């Protein structure tokens, strides 16, 4: 009996010496009964209070249904998760003012109530406790009636959400200023504003046996590869974890390769970037509570592209992409090249420059590798401090700290001026990389290349780069080669890689991502000047 269950739970809570049973592996709380709802209102309310530990944010409002009758009822909602104005105006007020017919049977009563609550969306009849608590903590208001073993769940989601703002991690000079928020429905609406097509499908599931986090996948039916969509669903359904608090949890559980520094799932805060990827045949994964949306499959060259490339002229976008690749290469190998050149290959440096470097290093007691390692670690500490400190002082501390420490280290003879310049250029290059995920990969690989340069010189650098390229070619993102369309080479898709062709030449979608509906636009859209008019 439910009443006996409630009394037993109250007795267990009073016995402090007895260890309470925890949740099982499935993540369902042991305090949630498996029996259906009770027809007694008082028993149902007591179970809700006991199961939630009499939490202060659980609001229970008792009332009598109708004006002339005295049927007892109650609404239950979580303060902060609902829009209280909708609860009282469109749910509670119609029930208080309406004349409730007592002669109706239980099923007819709920049908009558559903008609009276037509102004409220998402009406659902609930008969089990698991579904009731899930709806309750998802922002629904639960209506309980005395004498009925059913409840009505009305969607009244609300509460405070961060307003739509410009993304902080992907700032663009030209383009939309909208960015995703922590609200799942706000994020899906931002995407639908850009793709007004019924083929944009959205499927929602709950992941996390304790948190029950809403996770949604979006794709354009007819453009997305069905095999990739099926693989995404399969990997999401395979996740068995107690909590999902950010999209990074999902990313680490669905990626193809774990032991790699390179990201194989793309994430972004920009709705226009997600919409563009959906139209190329990719799948978007949205997680409640985070503004970062995952996009799969991801390609290596994708991390050097920004949405602004497609809003500018093709020649400007191409030049900027080549610059970003050069910046990435500099952030990757600059300290290693300095170590190799000053330690093993002095003949490759111009005579006057090598004399100047030798004069600077005359008072430095450490080899070039130790010198570079100390400066790189020091700068990483400053960068991490700048991120963690309050925004008002973080930037000032990192800039002033780098200048003061660098100048003091040179004057004290710990490092040379040339090394400070190399480390500074490397740091600026890592900041200029458009994607933080690929920039932090370069920061980690940089230390390995520095070690190889200290041992084998330029031979060590070339060996490290060769191993990195082989590793990149071996990676897959949901079965798609990570280096495509460069390796394997797909000539028809190379127009949007290191360089960008004019927009009117984008006739096909990426082939390895999309295996059907390849045609993106019809030909013959090349701009043509008007024919000269003939004067009579």
């Amino acid at each position: 009996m439910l009443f006996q269950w409630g009394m037993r739970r109250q007795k267990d809570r009073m016995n402090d010496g007895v260890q309470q049973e925890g949740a099982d592996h499935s993540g369902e709380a042991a305090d949630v009964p498996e029996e259906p709802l009770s027809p007694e209102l008082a028993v149902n309310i007591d179970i809700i209070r006991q199961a939630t530990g009499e939490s202060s944010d659980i609001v229970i409002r008792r009332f009598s249904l109708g004006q002339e009758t005295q049927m007892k009822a109650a609404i239950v909602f979580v303060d902060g998760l609902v829009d209280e104005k909708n609860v009282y105006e469109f749910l509670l007020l119609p029930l208080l003012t309406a004349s409730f017919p007592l002669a109706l049977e239980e099923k007819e009563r709920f049908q009558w109530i559903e008609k009276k609550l037509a102004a409220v969306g998402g009406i659902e009849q609930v008969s089990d406790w698991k579904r009731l608590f899930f709806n309750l903590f998802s922002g629904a208001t639960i209506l309980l009636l005395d004498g009925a073993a059913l409840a009505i769940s009305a969607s009244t989601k609300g509460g405070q959400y961060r307003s739509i703002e410009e993304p902080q991690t992907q700032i663009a000079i030209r383009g939309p200023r909208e960015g995703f928020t922590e609200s799942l429905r706000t994020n899906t609406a931002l995407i639908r504003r850009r793709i007004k097509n019924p083929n944009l499908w959205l499927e929602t599931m709950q992941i996390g046996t304790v948190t029950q986090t809403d996770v949604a996948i979006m794709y354009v039916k007819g453009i997305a590869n069905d095999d990739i969509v099926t693989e995404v669903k399969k990997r999401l359904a395979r996740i068995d974890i107690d909590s999902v608090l950010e999209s990074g949890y999902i990313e680490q559980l669905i990626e193809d390769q774990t032991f790699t520094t390179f990201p194989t799932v793309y994430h972004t805060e920009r709705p226009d970037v997600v919409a563009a990827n959906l139209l190329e045949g990719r799948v978007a994964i949205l997680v409640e509570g985070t503004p970062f949306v995952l996009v799969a499959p991801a390609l290596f060259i994708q991390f050097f592209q920004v949405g602004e490339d497609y809003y500018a002229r093709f020649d400007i976008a191409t030049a900027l992409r080549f610059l970003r690749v050069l910046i990435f290469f500099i952030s990757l190998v600059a300290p290693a090249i300095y170590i190799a050149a000053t330690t093993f290959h002095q003949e490759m440096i111009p005579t006057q420059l090598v004399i100047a470097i030798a004069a600077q290093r005359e008072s430095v007691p450490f080899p070039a590798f130790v010198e570079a390692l100390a400066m790189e670690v020091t700068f990483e500490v400053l960068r991490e401090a700048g991120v963690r400190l309050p925004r008002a002082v973080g930037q000032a501390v990192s800039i002033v700290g780098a200048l003061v420490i660098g100048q003091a280290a040179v004057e004290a003879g710990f490092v040379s001026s040339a090394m400070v310049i190399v480390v500074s250029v490397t740091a600026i290059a890592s900041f200029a990389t458009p994607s933080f995920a690929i920039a932090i990969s370069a920061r980690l690989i940089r230390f390995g290349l520095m070690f190889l340069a200290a041992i084998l010189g330029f031979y060590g650098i070339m060996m490290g780069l060769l191993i990195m390229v082989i590793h990149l070619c071996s990676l897959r993102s949901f079965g798609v080669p990570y280096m495509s369309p460069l390796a394997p080479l797909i000539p028809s898709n190379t127009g949007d890689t290191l360089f960008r062709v004019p927009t009117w030449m984008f006739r096909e979608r990426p082939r390895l991502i999309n295996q059907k509906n390849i045609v993106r636009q019809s030909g013959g859209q090349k701009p043509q000047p008007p024919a000269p008019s003939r004067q009579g």
Side-chain angles (χ1 to χ4, degrees), residues 1 41 48 67 94 98 114 121 131 189 229 237 241-242 307 314 335 355 436 439 445 461 514:
M1 295 293 293
L41 179 63
I48 292 175
Q67 293 180 334
E114 289 178 358
R131 186 65 183 174
V229 174
I241 190 173
D242 59 349
F314 75 96
I355 292 174
F436 176 79
I445 298 173
I461 296 176
N514 180 278

Side-chain angles (χ1 to χ4, degrees), residues 29-157:
D31 293 342
V32 177
E34 297 181 356
E35 296 88 350
L37 273 69
S38 171
E40 299 183 22
L41 179 63
V43 173
N44 290 334
I45 293 177
D46 182 66
I47 291 175
I48 292 175
R49 286 176 173 171
Q50 297 293 337
T52 58
E54 299 189 5
S55 301
S56 57
D57 61 340
I58 306 298
V59 179
I60 301 176
R61 170 73 161 82
R62 295 171 178 263
F63 62 96
S64 297
L65 196 60
Q67 293 180 334
E68 301 175 357
T69 61
Q70 297 297 324
M71 172 169 281
K72 296 180 180 179
I75 59 171
V76 184
F77 60 88
V78 180
D79 188 19
L81 296 184
V82 301
D83 187 341
E84 294 191 14
K85 181 179 179 181
N86 290 339
V87 172
Y88 291 113
E89 290 187 5
F90 301 109
L91 182 62
L92 186 58
L93 186 60
L95 294 175
L96 292 174
T97 56
S99 298
F100 184 74
L102 286 175
L104 297 178
E105 297 181 357
E106 179 177 324
K107 184 177 181 181
E108 295 176 341
R109 293 178 184 177
F110 283 97
Q111 292 177 350
W112 181 86
I113 292 175
E114 289 178 358
K115 292 180 181 179
K116 291 296 180 182
L117 302 181
V120 181
I123 301 295
E124 177 186 357
Q125 292 188 14
V126 180
S127 60
D128 61 282
W129 288 103
K130 181 179 179 181
R131 186 65 183 174
L132 184 145
F133 281 111
F134 175 78
N135 290 354
L136 178 65
F137 291 106
S138 296
T141 298
I142 306 299
L143 173 63
L144 300 170
L145 298 179
D146 192 21
L150 291 174
I152 289 182
S153 172
S155 179
T156 54
K157 290 184 179 180

